[in-house]
Amino acid sequence: MPVNRVAVLGSLIAGLSLFFLPLVELKPNRLASGIPFFLLQFEGDVRYLALFVLALLPLVVALRRADVVRGALLAGLGNALLFLTLYLPAVAGEVLLADAAAWLGEGVRLSNPRLLPSAGLALGLFGAYTVLYGGLRDLVVAGAPRSLRVAAAWGGLLLVVLAALSGRFDVYSVVVEFQARGQQLAQRTVEHVMFVAVALSIGLVLGVGLGLWAHRDRRASPVILYLVGIIQTVPSLALFGVLLVPLARLGDQLATSVALALVASLALAAAALALYRTIGQRLRGAARQVVLLLVTVSAAVPVALFTVVVASFSFRVSLLAFTSAAPALANLRSAMLVALIAAVGLQLAVRRQRVDTARRSLARAAWVGWGALAVTLVVALVTASQLFLARVESAATLTVRDLGVSGIGPAPAVIALTLYSLLPLVRNTYAGLTNVDPAVIDSGRGMGMSAPQRFMQIELPLALPVIMAGVRNASVALVGIAAIATVIGAGGLGDFILGGIINTSIDQILLGAIPAVLLAVLLDAVLRATEQLLVSPGIRVSGEAAPS
Amino acid sequence: MRPIAITLFALVVLLSGALSYAQADPIRVGSKQFTESIVLAKLIGYALEDVGFTIDDRTPLGGTDVNRSALVNAEIDVYPEYTGTALGLFFPDVELPEGLTRDAEASYDYLLEHDLERDRLLWLAPAPANNTYGFAVRRAFAEEHGLTTMEDFAEYVNAGGEVMMATGDEFAQRPDGIAAFEELYGFELADEALLIIAAGTPAQTLQALDQGANDTNVAMTFATEGAVVAYDFVVLTDPRGAQPIFNPTPVFRVEVIDANPEIPAILNPIFEGLTNEVLQELNARVDVDGESPDAVARSYLEEHGFLN
Amino acid sequence: MIEFEGVVKDFPGGVRAVDALDLTVEKGEISVLIGPSGCGKTTSMRLVNRLIPLTSGRITVDGRDNLEFAPEELRRKIGYAIQQIGLFPHMTVGQNVAVVPRLLGWEEQRVRQRVDGLLELVGLDPDVQRDVYPRQLSGGQQQRVGVARALGADPPIMLMDEPFGAVDPITRAVLQDEFLQIQATIAKTVLFVTHDIDEAIKMGDRIAVMRTGRLVQYATPDELLAQPVDDFVRAFVGGDRHLKRLGLVRVRDVMAEPDERTPELDGEAVLEHTSVRDALSVLVGRGFDATPVVDAQGRLCGVITLNGLRAAVRRAARERASEERASEERAAEGEA
Ligand SMILES: Nc1ncnc2c1ncn2[C@@H]1O[C@H](COP(=O)(O)OP(=O)(O)OP(=O)(O)O)[C@@H](O)[C@H]1O
Ligand SMILES: [Mg+2]
């Protein structure tokens, strides 16, 4: 591989855009547009020109022989460029802001002036990252040690984070916005995570269940797949509109009567099923359809009711568990963090360990860590649910609303998100199970595995890569869709994003969008790691396995 | 696994009956999604919190329809609504008296009576501010052509003045939008004179005016829009009343007021002080200066002695 | 021992896959089911461990009606190597072999020993292959694992559905030889399916020829080749059936003492335990009437001639038939 073309491309992008495009815009306040500034306009000129030179240096380095040295040089330049593209304009910006009145002139409302990053800066960062990526590729190809690769990949980002934490980026408009409204950012982010987590957990149970049903029942499968497909096409606003009144009515009901209704309709379903079992086989045409419909509907009602209550309740309780300032919960959160770190650490150690016995005991210790995490989580959730129900006087007057079900707020949001998560989950579960080689299942039968053993030991593990791909699809999509929850007052990062759109405040939009993107990336990484852990190496594919 | 575990534990908790004492129900405050509505809701919330109510802050809740049905369905207890909006949207099958919507007092009286009767909702005292639609121009432009009222604007247009107006599609197309001004003041804007932004908000049209996109020199706005201050624009007044009156008012479920009859005495003085200028300033502090609505509402209440 | 008594299997849609099948697989013997594709071999086999229910008739396993067992219990007692190998791709070779022992709740220690023992038995190196996944193995290695897995919990009875189907002829021959060697020590009762007549002759103590669900002939390989009952079997065993018969006889059993007419020993003498069929091929190939026979140490120990072969084969067949009659009588006496 002669010239590193990626680095050349990145260098050109960075160099040209840093030189020819405005880097920042000096804005008098949050709304009004301001004055664009180019690199050459910054005071103290020569220093800033170094940035331009730095951007073009990779052009020279990229011509070298491909080896570790070239990779390290390019990665170093990329990282430096990444950091300085953000840092130098911020330094210049402090001077500009001090003089803002002089620059902006009379007549404008000068309050909280700020620097909006402009095209030059954005493209400069993109170019810097491209150079860095080119360097990383060199390092991988040349087989550089892991530590060097990690340092090269994250070094610049670490510097950026450190500078941000030490307040060097306070001039940038997103940071200004964060300082004005940031108190809510943590809360909104947790809400956002909880939307995704709760919707995904419940969607997983429902989705895998429906996928399994579709797989088992060839007549039901087109109907199920069609219905979950339809759900996907219902606009979220319409869905919220449809959910509002029934959920509000449901909220008014006493929990005891709803529980009774639940039991009653389950009994009805059981009776109808028994009826079908005994005489239904002999029924013909319409009568048969009616009985079947009765079974399905009377079973679907309690499942839907139960799901609604569980989804709403779990969201409220999990949110409380992760945000409540109650000391018990705060302690449990710390315990959870410790358990998580321990479990992940041990799990990583298991992979490194080559000695068999040590490996086994490490694995056992890791399981203890995961177990501890699960136990603390459950305890936290129980504590939170007690806290949540503390307002209720007695079980007799407990309404469904007290359990968190309501026409607006988190309940319809979580329910809508759960519904939206179904398509990828059902489809991938169905596809995953259907694509398991029948010969393999047959040999499981021939070995004497019972149906549940076959499902747990053969079908599920073999379908898992495809199911996990569905989970990843669903979760990343949910991070995006959850932003819409704000329109029914459910909170989440959408508060910033939609509010920003309505106010035409790009800063406010970014304040919500940046965490959302990070969240999606993080979630994807976590799920990939989980997949690595769960999917057998015997069936792991290097590329993508999901038919989507 | 988790939902199952949670349900099990919830059931255990319920059955054991180990439930502690009840607190007073919180007041659930909603709002629409634009700055002014949020600020008004925060004013309501902080004022009530100050006298000891627990507040469940549901802002921002969503569009007008979500807020209204949430209130009617007792999902929230109060949100700020505009008289003109309510008359325009909530009585679709009722023939409203002629000229009702242009008369502030009559509008309010009508709502006080009919919303109570039909949906058991109580309108407290309205603010004097009238957040109506209007036309905004740059200050320099207004001075150059001597524009202060819509009458001046009609004269400017009829004398062949250049116009490029940024507007939301609704305002451009509704009979009570631009058309109402045209009819009442006797001018006409050609289709080419309109820069229509789909679902455009005043924030967007004012930004277009600020940036002079497509030679924009007029923009649709709300009278109390904070951005008007930021950009140093002038809103042309509407002396003949082309637009309905939009007085912001706290609307409660009447049960809440019945249970807490002291609430009107707390909120009415606050709303009576909210003029166009005050709201413009409060909105500007949020939209332009970038303060949070909470901070703005609290400091306003403090400065005017509404908090103890 | 497996006994089919008047077994009938109808599939929905009116296909009679197995029709009035009577068949006994003797303890410790390999019975081969053979017949054209779709004649009901796999179906018959799957009736034994109740992977499919039979329509009428009775199947007993070691004397007990197989309906007396719970299906899972029955299947764990019967080793099964399916036609498509069907290894579990997400399990290592070791885990695959350990499936049935684990289902039976064996202790880990015992499972591990058993797995290593079985892998060695089928010619795999436990230390190298135990922890790899099936996709890392060649087709032949996978078939060995399939056999090892079927032998997992040391079942007295084995069902083997074309276990060596998916490999080239040379590897297949090796696998066949190895299995025969294993069988010599473990003496399982095996129902073995193939549609390759050469494999049937080589592997089978008895061969059952099926046609459209019916048993046409059930006999020892030699008998089948010597006296096919009808044209179908005759066509099925092939026009070279007499040559195939020669494949069942060793040179050792038919050679004559060497004398003065015996040709000089050279590179192409035949070994005493080659089959007569191969010896014949040498004679024809060299254009000779006679060729010397040597033992494993390369010492001259006999001679075969074309004329001698003809006479000897007739004699050997007669002797074997009377021997079998004698042993059957002995067995009958033993039972009584
Ligand atoms: N599940 C089933 N449903 C309906 N018909 C079946 C089923 N399984 C097998 N058959 C039919 O029964 C007959 C015997 O099938 P079987 O699989 O036993 O043949 P086979 O002798 O094993 O053939 P091959 O040599 O190709 O494996 C065939 O006609 C087949 O189509
Ligand atoms: Mg078959």
Side-chain angles (χ1 to χ4, degrees), chain B residues 36 40 82-83 104 124-132 223-224 245-250 267-279 300:
Chain B
E36 181 170 292
L40 290 169
Y82 298 88
T83 50
L124 301 193
N130 178 14
N131 192 4
T132 174
T224 58
I245 306 289
F246 290 89
N247 294 139
T249 314
L267 295 182
N268 288 352
I270 297 174
F271 269 72
E272 274 155 16
L274 297 175
T275 61
N276 271 17
E277 290 68 34
V278 170
L279 281 185
Y300 176 82

Side-chain angles (χ1 to χ4, degrees), chain A residues 29-33 109 111-112 180-181 248-249 310 381-382 390-392 401 406-407 487-489 498 502-504, chain B residues 2-3 6 9 20-22 33 35 60-62 73 75 201 203-204 210 227 229 231 281 286-291 294:
Chain A
N29 54 47
R30 183 157 168 265
L31 277 194
S33 49
R109 179 170 171 130
S111 61
N112 286 323
R181 308 194 175 203
R249 291 279 164 278
V310 167
L381 290 173
V382 174
R391 309 200 307 109
V392 180
R401 191 184 308 280
S406 58
V487 306
I488 37 153
L498 206 71
I502 289 172
N503 285 325
T504 62
Chain B
R2 191 194 314 165
I6 293 173
F9 278 108
S20 57
Y21 64 96
Q33 273 172 316
T35 301
L61 186 53
N73 287 294
E75 291 284 342
T201 61
Q204 290 163 342
D210 176 51
V229 180
Y231 299 128
E281 180 58 25
V286 175
D287 286 346
V288 183
D289 305 349
E291 290 185 60
D294 297 80

Side-chain angles (χ1 to χ4, degrees), chain A residues 29-33 107-112 114 176-177 180-181 183-184 188 194 197-198 201-202 205 244-245 247-249 251-252 255 306 310 313-314 316-318 322 377-378 381-382 385-386 389-395 398 401 403 405-410 485-491 494-495 498-499 501-505, chain B residues 1-7 9-11 13-26 28 33-35 38 42 56-63 65-67 69-76 201-205 207 210-211 225-232 280-281 284-295:
Chain A
N29 54 47
R30 183 157 168 265
L31 277 194
S33 49
V108 293
R109 179 170 171 130
L110 190 67
S111 61
N112 286 323
R114 54 191 76 193
V176 176
E177 188 75 14
R181 308 194 175 203
Q183 320 84 287
Q184 298 170 353
R188 296 285 169 263
M194 285 301 147
V198 173
S201 321
I202 296 174
V205 174
L244 200 149
V245 175
L247 285 183
R249 291 279 164 278
D252 292 336
F306 190 71
V310 167
F313 187 75
S314 357
R316 292 303 200 74
V317 167
S318 345
F322 285 96
L377 182 65
V378 168
L381 290 173
V382 174
S385 49
Q386 270 166 344
L389 292 172
R391 309 200 307 109
V392 180
E393 258 171 280
S394 75
L398 179 78
R401 191 184 308 280
L403 294 174
V405 177
S406 58
I408 56 157
T486 182
V487 306
I488 37 153
D495 274 14
L498 206 71
I501 291 171
I502 289 172
N503 285 325
T504 62
S505 164
Chain B
M1 217 41 221
R2 191 194 314 165
I4 297 175
I6 293 173
T7 337
F9 278 108
L11 284 176
V13 170
L14 289 183
L15 293 179
S16 67
L19 300 171
S20 57
Y21 64 96
Q23 291 174 358
D25 282 341
R28 297 160 301 173
Q33 273 172 316
F34 51 92
T35 301
I38 297 173
K42 300 279 181 186
D56 185 355
D57 185 347
R58 299 288 182 85
T59 63
L61 186 53
D65 44 347
V66 171
N67 275 279
S69 37
L71 189 65
V72 170
N73 287 294
E75 291 284 342
I76 55 175
T201 61
Q204 290 163 342
T205 55
Q207 191 179 50
D210 176 51
Q211 291 167 351
E225 186 68 33
V228 168
V229 180
Y231 299 128
D232 197 26
Q280 229 170 35
E281 180 58 25
R285 282 173 61 187
V286 175
D287 286 346
V288 183
D289 305 349
E291 290 185 60
S292 78
D294 297 80

Side-chain angles (χ1 to χ4, degrees), chain A residues 168-342:
Chain A
R168 297 317 301 246
F169 294 156
D170 285 359
V171 293
Y172 286 125
S173 52
V174 181
V175 182
V176 176
E177 188 75 14
F178 171 72
Q179 281 162 350
R181 308 194 175 203
Q183 320 84 287
Q184 298 170 353
L185 186 60
Q187 171 78 16
R188 296 285 169 263
T189 309
V190 176
E191 281 166 5
H192 209 88
V193 172
M194 285 301 147
F195 279 136
V196 177
V198 173
L200 203 62
S201 321
I202 296 174
L204 201 60
V205 174
L206 280 184
V208 171
L210 284 173
L212 188 60
W213 182 12
H215 166 63
R216 289 281 155 85
D217 186 345
R218 223 174 318 145
R219 263 181 308 175
S221 62
V223 181
I224 294 171
L225 293 171
Y226 178 73
L227 283 182
V228 294
I230 289 282
I231 293 175
Q232 211 73 2
T233 67
V234 178
S236 46
L237 282 177
L239 197 53
F240 292 145
V242 170
L243 288 173
L244 200 149
V245 175
L247 285 183
R249 291 279 164 278
L250 179 61
D252 292 336
Q253 310 301 314
L254 284 176
T256 42
S257 54
V258 169
L260 269 182
L262 225 136
V263 172
S265 64
L266 273 179
L268 187 66
L273 193 63
L275 187 73
Y276 180 71
R277 285 259 166 82
T278 50
I279 62 161
Q281 310 287 7
R282 269 172 285 139
L283 291 177
R284 292 258 161 263
R288 191 183 163 119
Q289 301 293 335
V290 167
V291 177
L292 268 183
L293 198 67
L294 197 67
V295 176
T296 318
V297 170
S298 51
V301 166
V303 168
L305 265 183
F306 190 71
T307 309
V308 164
V309 176
V310 167
S312 315
F313 187 75
S314 357
F315 178 82
R316 292 303 200 74
V317 167
S318 345
L319 189 62
L320 206 57
F322 285 96
T323 57
S324 163
L329 285 172
N331 290 340
L332 282 166
R333 284 201 293 272
S334 316
M336 254 187 267
L337 192 65
V338 173
L340 178 69
I341 292 171

Side-chain angles (χ1 to χ4, degrees), chain C residues 37-43 46 83-84 161-162 193 195:
Chain C
S37 188
C39 69
K41 305 182 293 291
T42 299
T43 304
R46 291 162 70 84
Q83 195 166 356
Q84 305 86 343
D161 197 350
E162 303 198 28
V193 164
H195 52 225

Side-chain angles (χ1 to χ4, degrees), chain A residues 347-361:
Chain A
Q347 201 73 56
L348 290 179
V350 171
R351 307 188 128 208
R352 294 272 169 78
Q353 187 54 256
R354 292 267 166 266
V355 183
D356 233 26
T357 49
R359 205 183 146 92
R360 257 197 293 280
S361 44

